[in-house]
């Protein structure tokens, strides 16, 4: 029996996520606002959680109907036979988001939904589930449009971009699923050398290594579906074993390169790569991007340079950006250079004309992925004479 799911993702990656889900066997993937809906059996939810590099969560739609007020939401939630999905001993959290909803208080709507779930358990002689906003066993999501309400159970638990290899937070970190999406949009594939010359915590290089190693991004973590009634342990273990069997050993000579001017950043990136079991795939080295050379005759340069909230010193930015353009023109002919940035002045400041500008969002921040094809000589177009 096919169920309906919704996979949110960073805005701008919906087409790539559609392709990814289609390759997993998802039925009728369809782009919606902020993600992709699809159908499939429950084991597909296991696989999507384990293997998706782009989704933020896999949400299982339980019910969907029109609504006009908070009482309609209460009735919709109360009508669900919740004991089919989880026990009253599980802790619970309810989240609600809305687009053009007529309701005046989304907080009250969330409270009414939570009350309906708890009241249904009590009406059937069960305990009232405890609420845990920090680390709940079960997460329920409500999505409201101007007319319709959808109720979902989260099968992921922690967000899927939390692969498990990043042990502590960084300043303005690049989320792992967004980094994987940047690699796909940049056209990088494992046989092409890759350089991130401002790697910070190493997320781009680590995600590239996971792709090259054919290592499922969820292989080292647990998921929300493991606490639901329909969890099938043997099926899950078979899927995990298949994923383990697919992992490739590291090559003798890495073709993934990551550098940063901060030795502390490089040490942290190495630690994260080791946690992800891909340390041998990446050549990490402390280096100043303004003086780095190309590690191969051709390849992909992909980086998330400091900008805005990540670098408060505007004078440093003004000096850095032209130096990046100079480095590329001097040392990276034959490479494709990509910058992911929220600074839309970046192409002008580095002195290069992008051949591609791909709109993306880093959370709520409007960004662009700029692509530059580096060639020998001047980047200026030479006018043809007749």
């Amino acid at each position: 029996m096919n169920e309906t799911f919704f996979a949110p993702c960073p805005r701008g990656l919906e087409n790539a996520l559609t392709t990814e889900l289609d390759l997993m066997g998802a039925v009728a993937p369809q782009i919606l606002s902020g993600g992709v809906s699809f159908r499939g059996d429950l084991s597909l939810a296991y696989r999507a959680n384990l293997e998706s590099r782009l989704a933020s969560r896999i949400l299982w739609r339980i019910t969907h109907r029109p609504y006009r007020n908070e009482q309609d939401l209460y009735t919709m939630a109360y009508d669900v036979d919740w004991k089919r999905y989880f026990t009253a001993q599980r802790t619970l959290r309810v989240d609600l988001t809305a687009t053009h909803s007529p309701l005046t208080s989304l907080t009250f709507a969330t409270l009414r939904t939570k009350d309906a779930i708890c009241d249904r358990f009590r009406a059937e002689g069960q305990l009232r589930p405890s609420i845990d906003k920090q680390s709940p066993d079960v997460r329920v999501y409500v999505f409201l449009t101007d007319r319709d309400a959808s109720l979902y159970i989260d099968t992921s638990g922690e967000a899927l971009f939390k692969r498990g290899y990043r042990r502590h937070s960084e300043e303005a970190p690049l989320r792992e699923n967004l980094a994987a999406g940047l690699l796909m949009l940049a056209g990088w594939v494992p046989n092409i050398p890759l350089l991130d010359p401002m790697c910070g915590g190493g997320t781009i290089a680590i995600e590239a290594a996971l792709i090259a190693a054919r290592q499922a991004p969820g292989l080292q973590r647990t998921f929300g579906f493991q606490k639901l009634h329909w969890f099938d342990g043997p099926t899950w273990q078979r899927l995990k074993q298949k994923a383990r069997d697919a992992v490739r050993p590291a090559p003798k000579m890495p073709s993934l390169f990551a550098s940063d001017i901060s030795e502390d950043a490089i040490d942290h990136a190495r630690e994260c790569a080791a946690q992800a079991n891909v340390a041998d795939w990446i050549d990490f080295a402390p280096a100043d991007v303004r003086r780095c050379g190309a590690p191969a005759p051709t390849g992909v340069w992909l980086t998330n340079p400091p900008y805005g909230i990540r670098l408060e010193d505007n004078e440093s930015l003004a000096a850095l950006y032209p130096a990046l353009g100079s480095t590329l023109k001097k040392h990276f002919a034959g490479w494709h250079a990509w910058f992911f940035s929220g600074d839309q002045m970046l192409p002008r400041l580095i002195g290069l004309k992008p051949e591609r500008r791909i709109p993306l969002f880093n959370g709520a921040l409007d960004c662009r992925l700029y692509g530059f094809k580096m060639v020998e000589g001047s980047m200026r177009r030479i006018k043809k004479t007749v």
Side-chain angles (χ1 to χ4, degrees), residues 12 21 64 70 82-83 149 162 206 215 220 267 282 328 377:
L21 291 169
H64 173 83
E70 292 87 355
W82 291 103
K83 67 180 186 299
K162 296 182 179 181
I206 293 170
Q215 181 174 320
Q220 299 188 53
D267 289 342
I282 307 167
L328 285 168

Side-chain angles (χ1 to χ4, degrees), residues 1-273:
M1 175 180 170
N2 279 348
E3 302 287 345
T4 298
F5 301 95
F6 178 69
C9 67
R11 284 184 288 169
L13 296 183
E14 293 91 346
N15 284 320
L17 177 56
T18 299
T19 300
E20 182 184 62
L21 291 169
D22 187 60
L23 291 173
M24 291 183 197
V27 177
Q30 179 184 2
I31 294 175
L32 300 178
S33 177
V36 178
S37 71
F38 62 100
R39 298 197 307 275
D41 60 25
L42 292 174
S43 65
L44 178 61
Y46 295 172
R47 185 177 177 189
N49 276 291
L50 177 64
E51 298 182 9
S52 177
R53 301 185 189 277
L54 305 180
S56 298
R57 294 183 181 277
I58 305 298
L59 304 177
W60 177 18
R61 195 174 82 180
I62 301 303
T63 187
H64 173 83
R65 66 174 68 170
Y67 79 102
R68 293 179 299 174
N69 50 44
E70 292 87 355
Q71 183 57 39
D72 289 341
L73 297 182
Y74 180 94
T75 302
M76 177 180 72
Y78 188 88
D79 287 345
V80 174
D81 184 8
W82 291 103
K83 67 180 186 299
R84 288 184 54 210
Y85 303 104
F86 60 92
T87 69
Q89 285 73 29
R90 295 295 188 188
T91 56
L92 175 68
R93 171 173 173 160
V94 177
D95 289 280
L96 185 148
T97 58
T99 303
H100 306 301
S101 173
L103 302 184
T104 56
S105 173
L106 298 183
T107 300
F108 182 58
T110 305
L111 180 63
R112 291 295 287 158
T113 304
K114 182 265 295 180
D115 286 344
I117 298 171
C118 294
D119 290 349
R120 177 62 187 257
F121 274 106
R122 290 294 300 275
E124 297 183 349
Q126 304 288 314
L127 295 172
R128 183 181 181 89
S130 298
I131 303 301
D132 184 346
K133 294 184 178 181
Q134 299 303 316
S135 301
D137 295 325
V138 178
R139 301 168 190 255
V140 172
Y141 286 84
V142 186
F143 288 88
L144 305 180
T145 66
D146 58 339
R147 297 181 181 181
D148 297 319
S150 298
L151 199 60
Y152 294 85
I153 290 179
D154 176 27
T155 69
S156 300
E158 290 282 3
L160 294 182
F161 61 78
K162 296 182 179 181
R163 316 289 204 216
Y165 60 75
R166 186 147 58 190
R167 294 306 187 193
H168 55 83
S169 62
E170 306 155 28
E171 183 181 354
L174 183 67
R175 288 182 174 178
E176 293 86 332
N177 59 340
L178 180 53
L182 296 179
L183 288 160
M184 294 179 190
L185 292 174
W188 176 82
V189 292
N191 63 333
I192 298 177
L194 175 78
L195 169 65
D196 181 354
M198 291 176 279
C199 71
T203 307
I204 290 174
I206 293 170
E207 289 298 313
L210 290 172
I211 294 170
R214 297 178 186 168
Q215 181 174 320
L219 201 53
Q220 299 188 53
R221 52 162 288 173
T222 59
F223 298 95
F225 61 73
Q226 293 174 265
K227 296 180 179 180
L228 300 178
H229 273 330
W230 57 269
F231 175 58
D232 180 350
T235 296
W236 173 234
Q237 290 304 319
R238 284 193 294 272
L239 281 171
K240 285 187 70 175
Q241 189 58 53
K242 185 177 179 180
R244 291 190 192 99
D245 292 344
V247 175
R248 301 169 57 204
K252 293 181 179 179
M253 295 292 292
S255 61
L256 306 177
F257 304 90
S259 58
D260 198 280
I261 197 170
S262 166
E263 293 194 20
D264 287 342
I266 290 297
D267 289 342
H268 174 55
R270 285 196 181 107
E271 291 175 8
C272 290

Side-chain angles (χ1 to χ4, degrees), residues 321-336:
Y321 281 175
L324 294 179
S326 177
T327 295
L328 285 168
K329 285 182 279 190
K330 287 180 180 178
H331 304 297
F332 286 84
W335 281 61
H336 279 82

Side-chain angles (χ1 to χ4, degrees), residues 274-352:
Q275 289 288 343
N277 294 322
V278 293
D280 293 339
W281 285 84
I282 307 167
D283 184 341
F284 286 108
D288 187 335
V289 64
R290 294 166 293 188
R291 288 182 283 276
C292 74
T298 62
V300 170
W301 156 310
L302 174 60
T303 196
N304 175 213
Y307 61 90
I309 60 171
R310 297 183 63 220
L311 190 64
E312 295 178 359
D313 187 348
N314 289 329
E315 292 184 4
S316 296
L317 275 179
L320 173 64
Y321 281 175
L324 294 179
S326 177
T327 295
L328 285 168
K329 285 182 279 190
K330 287 180 180 178
H331 304 297
F332 286 84
W335 281 61
H336 279 82
W338 296 85
F339 293 85
F340 178 65
S341 178
D343 186 350
Q344 298 191 24
M345 293 293 291
L346 183 144
R348 181 182 299 179
L349 292 172
I350 66 175
L352 297 171

